């Protein structure tokens, strides 16, 4: 065994289908998913650090299974969903979920602010565009990291960002089909400087 996962193993680990159930993932598989997430998001955090001119730290990933209901119950409302699909090398998508306040802080820092004068701000198209660009650069660097890890070209789609009020009746399949079932959720805590 060379330690490199096959496409079938990668797809099975990252699949959002109900075929994978939590009890069917071993601790080793959960650790592998967490390590893949840790390495790729570590690279992404470094990219964000450059964009916001601040130190960015991420916590150890927590790997779990979730459903749309779990997401609706866990996140502040409204929040920003950013969807980035793999176009080459892997089959699947990433959905990044950010609190509205965090989007304001990140975009204010990207525009030269200090990240503190955001209370009266509404998330606008400008914010969604800026956070999309940040996530595009972060996930692009993460895809490059994955390419090196899996020894194959991995490309991503341009991001699609939406401000979503999870209190409303939303068809999760409109965001991404995999959200209709059980999917793998990898959670990180991200800290930007002392914000």
């Amino acid at each position: 065994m060379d330690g490199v996962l096959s496409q079938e193993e990668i797809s099975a680990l990252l699949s959002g289908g109900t075929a994978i159930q939590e009890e069917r993932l071993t601790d080793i598989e959960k650790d592998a998913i967490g390590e893949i997430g840790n390495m790729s998001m570590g690279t992404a955090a470094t990219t964000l650090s450059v964009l916001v001119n601040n130190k960015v730290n991420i916590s150890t990933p927590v790997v779990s299974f979730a459903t749309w209901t779990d997401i609706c119950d866990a996140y502040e409302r409204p929040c920003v969903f950013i969807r980035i699909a793999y176009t080459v090398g892997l089959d699947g998508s990433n959905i990044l979920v950010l609190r509205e306040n965090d989007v304001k802080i990140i975009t204010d820092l990207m525009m030269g602010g200090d990240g503190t004068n955001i209370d009266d701000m509404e998330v606008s198209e400008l914010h969604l565009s800026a956070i999309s660009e940040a996530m595009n650069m972060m996930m692009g660097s993460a895809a490059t990291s994955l390419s090196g890890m899996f020894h194959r070209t991995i490309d991503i789609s341009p991001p699609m960002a939406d401000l979503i009020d999870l209190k409303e009746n939303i068809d999760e399949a409109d965001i991404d089909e995999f959200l209709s079932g059980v999917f793998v959720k990898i959670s990180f805590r991200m800290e930007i400087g002392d914000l």
Side-chain angles (χ1 to χ4, degrees), residues 14 40-41 43-44 47 82-96 131-147 150 152-160:
L14 300 177
S40 59
M41 289 309 291
T43 303
T47 300
I82 303 163
R83 178 184 179 273
I84 299 175
Y86 292 109
T87 58
V88 174
L90 290 176
D91 182 26
S93 298
N94 289 296
I95 302 285
L96 303 165
I131 200 67
S132 290
E133 183 53 31
M135 296 301 115
N136 187 45
M137 294 177 77
M138 288 174 65
M139 293 309 296
S141 64
T144 300
S145 176
L146 289 172
S147 291
F150 297 136
R152 65 173 68 183
T153 300
I154 297 176
D155 287 332
I156 59 171
S157 69
M160 295 186 303

Side-chain angles (χ1 to χ4, degrees), residues 88-122:
V88 174
L90 290 176
D91 182 26
S93 298
N94 289 296
I95 302 285
L96 303 165
V97 184
L98 299 170
R99 294 183 311 171
E100 182 181 28
N101 199 52
D102 294 340
V103 169
K104 292 182 208 176
I105 291 170
I106 292 169
T107 55
D108 186 58
L109 289 169
M110 288 174 67
M111 295 179 207
D114 64 5
T116 60
N117 298 321
I118 60 163
D119 292 335
D120 297 329
M121 262 187 222
E122 294 289 323

Side-chain angles (χ1 to χ4, degrees), residues 68 72 164-172 174:
W68 177 251
C72 291
I164 296 176
D165 187 343
L166 295 171
K167 290 181 280 193
E168 296 173 4
N169 190 12
I170 296 169
D171 182 0
E172 61 272 19
D174 287 344

Side-chain angles (χ1 to χ4, degrees), residues 9-39:
E9 291 168 321
I10 295 166
S11 295
L13 289 171
L14 300 177
S15 171
T18 56
I20 294 181
Q21 298 171 7
E22 190 161 11
E23 60 271 7
R24 291 181 55 191
L25 280 182
T26 66
D27 287 341
I28 292 172
E29 290 167 330
K30 286 182 186 177
D31 288 347
I33 291 171
E35 187 57 29
I36 290 166
N38 194 37
M39 291 172 67

Side-chain angles (χ1 to χ4, degrees), residues 40-87:
S40 59
M41 289 309 291
T43 303
T46 301
T47 300
L48 181 61
S49 177
V50 172
L51 290 173
V52 298
N53 197 28
N54 257 292
K55 184 175 182 174
V56 175
N57 290 314
I58 60 167
S59 67
T60 303
V62 176
V63 178
S64 61
F65 281 80
T67 64
W68 177 251
T69 301
D70 298 330
I71 297 297
C72 291
D73 292 343
Y75 288 93
E76 288 182 19
R77 301 158 190 199
C79 56
V80 175
F81 276 58
I82 303 163
R83 178 184 179 273
I84 299 175
Y86 292 109
T87 58

